[in-house]
Amino acid sequence: MYCSRSDRMICKEDGWDPPPPQCMAVSSPQCQVKSCGNPGDISHGKYLTPDGIVFGATATAQCDKGYTLVGERTRNCRDDDWDGRDPVCKEVKCEPHTLIGASAVSCSDNGTFSPPPRCSIPDTKLIPVLVNVSSSVPPTEQTAPKSMD
């Protein structure tokens, strides 16, 4: 508090001259936490900000399902703003597969299986595929011949 006062006051018809002292609040410097604001928008993703969006906080980028992050995963709230750049969420694309053969195998009347199908990825080797097996013949102790690949 600060009091304004004079060493001398005179009583006049309309009151004191100068007026009596008054106490006034003195403002002291206040520290305020700086906000960096929204760290940005990510198409097909978002930022997680568990520490808030104030100085010293970290924002972590997370992509939606089916998308993968390209760029830095984290940004930090600094003096001027968020550091770094917004990353990008790119769609995950699978190469096309080609099925070679029937999509299911079955046991024939003589107890043998038809050849299993294979899956081909362009410019790569053939890979085995899991398929559904059905049979119209009751199980016996005889087993189907194994393919040697």
Side-chain angles (χ1 to χ4, degrees):
M1 299 295 263
Y2 167 76
C3 292
S4 64
R5 62 172 211 184
S6 175
D7 290 338
R8 197 170 90 161
M9 295 187 318
I10 299 173
C11 182
K12 294 186 171 184
E13 287 180 20
D14 59 345
W16 291 99
D17 183 34
Q22 295 179 345
C23 292
M24 298 174 280
V26 176
S27 63
S28 60
Q30 297 289 323
C31 291
Q32 293 181 349
V33 179
K34 181 190 177 300
S35 172
C36 282
N38 184 339
D41 293 322
I42 305 171
S43 182
H44 303 290
K46 64 183 176 184
Y47 279 109
L48 303 176
T49 53
D51 302 326
I53 55 173
V54 295
F55 179 80
T58 298
T60 304
Q62 177 181 330
C63 292
D64 296 339
K65 187 174 181 178
Y67 291 83
T68 187
L69 189 76
V70 177
E72 292 295 322
R73 182 168 300 282
T74 60
R75 296 181 72 191
N76 299 295
C77 181
R78 299 289 183 219
D79 291 337
D80 299 335
D81 203 352
W82 292 100
D83 66 0
R85 295 177 154 178
D86 288 324
V88 176
C89 291
K90 295 271 188 179
E91 184 178 8
V92 175
K93 293 185 179 180
C94 295
E95 293 186 34
H97 292 73
T98 304
L99 185 66
I100 301 171
S103 60
V105 294
S106 59
C107 182
S108 66
D109 291 338
N110 68 2
T112 61
F113 287 96
S114 57
R118 297 197 176 264
C119 187
S120 169
I121 301 173
D123 300 325
T124 60
K125 65 179 185 172
L126 296 176
I127 57 174
V129 178
L130 293 176
V131 294
N132 291 326
V133 177
S134 63
S135 173
S136 60
V137 177
T140 65
E141 291 186 29
Q142 185 180 22
T143 59
K146 289 185 182 178
S147 171
M148 300 296 279
D149 288 340

